[in-house]
Amino acid sequence: MGICEGRTVIITGAGGGLGRAYALAFAAEGANVVVNDIRKEAADAVVAEIAAAGGKAIANADDITRIDTAQQIVDAAVAAFGEVHVVVNNAGILRDRMFISLSEDDWDQVMRVHLKGHFCLANILGKHWRDQAKAGNRIAARIINTSSGAGLQGSVGQSNYSAAKGGIAALTLVQASELARYGVTANALAPAARTSMTESAMPDVVKA
């Protein structure tokens, strides 16, 4: 019996890279996994991997950057598995340029996917878990966010990404303080990995 038996996790950006690795790891520990990725075929492929290994998962391609569509992700999870216990905010994009070469869209897109994308699902689920706790239910919920070394120390050519990831680190501290009373923990990872996202942005550095 795995340590996540009977629990349901939503993982964003789970069609590849770290998100896929998280999805497979959670499923191996018995969790029901909602594989969210805007690339529906990629999400379907991860679900197929999980099913082939005897796990339970559904694919979802709804937008994490809007409250209404993020609600659809939660609704799909509840419809399939009855409850949500964990959200792993992993999805991200890069628009790397030197600061003075950034366009407004370069800035907005990275902030939208990273920072607002970390807000929407956690906000919806946080309210849900708070209401359950106030109703007298015992809650053991988890928010797992994705920061970065770039957000903690800065990174040349990534001012938009660094600012978003720094914001995520600060957001996590506040979530942890505010939600602990309801039985919700909030933590942030700062992973380093070779993925399609990093390879596309810094191919020479990543290959080395």
Side-chain angles (χ1 to χ4, degrees):
M1 183 174 179
I3 61 172
C4 295
E5 197 73 34
R7 288 169 69 78
T8 297
V9 55
I10 296 172
I11 305 173
T12 69
L18 288 173
R20 172 181 168 274
Y22 299 152
L24 296 176
F26 269 100
E29 290 295 337
N32 306 312
V33 182
V34 179
V35 180
N36 169 265
D37 201 295
I38 57 171
R39 303 163 301 168
K40 183 61 162 54
E41 290 183 359
D44 286 335
V46 175
V47 169
E49 283 189 78
I50 291 172
K56 297 179 181 179
I58 61 170
N60 177 278
D62 287 311
D63 186 357
I64 64 170
T65 69
R66 291 168 34 202
I67 287 289
D68 60 337
T69 48
Q71 182 67 58
Q72 292 173 9
I73 303 170
V74 175
D75 291 344
V78 172
F81 303 120
E83 186 52 271
V84 179
H85 308 92
V86 183
V87 59
V88 179
N89 288 309
N90 167 75
I93 62 169
L94 293 176
R95 296 290 185 272
D96 288 358
R97 288 173 180 78
M98 299 302 284
F99 174 70
I100 57 174
S101 298
L102 281 176
S103 69
E104 184 176 8
D105 188 61
D106 292 331
W107 183 270
D108 288 346
Q109 289 293 334
V110 168
M111 289 296 166
R112 181 179 65 86
V113 174
H114 286 277
L115 200 50
K116 190 178 179 186
H118 272 61
F119 163 76
C120 292
L121 276 170
N123 180 259
I124 292 167
L125 289 168
K127 291 175 181 175
H128 173 67
W129 294 326
R130 175 202 61 190
D131 292 347
Q132 285 192 331
K134 286 187 172 183
N137 298 313
R138 181 180 177 277
I139 303 302
R142 308 285 181 259
I143 297 171
I144 302 170
N145 294 328
T146 306
S147 185
S148 167
L152 305 177
Q153 297 179 313
S155 179
V156 172
Q158 293 188 309
S159 56
N160 49 359
Y161 179 77
S162 296
K165 289 304 191 182
I168 288 166
L171 171 65
T172 306
L173 293 173
V174 177
Q175 289 172 328
S177 296
E178 293 184 355
L179 299 177
R181 73 192 74 176
Y182 305 122
V184 181
T185 65
N187 290 277
L189 306 173
R194 179 182 298 183
T195 68
S196 59
M197 185 180 80
T198 57
E199 285 181 340
S200 66
M202 303 172 285
D204 294 334
V205 173
V206 172
K207 285 178 182 177

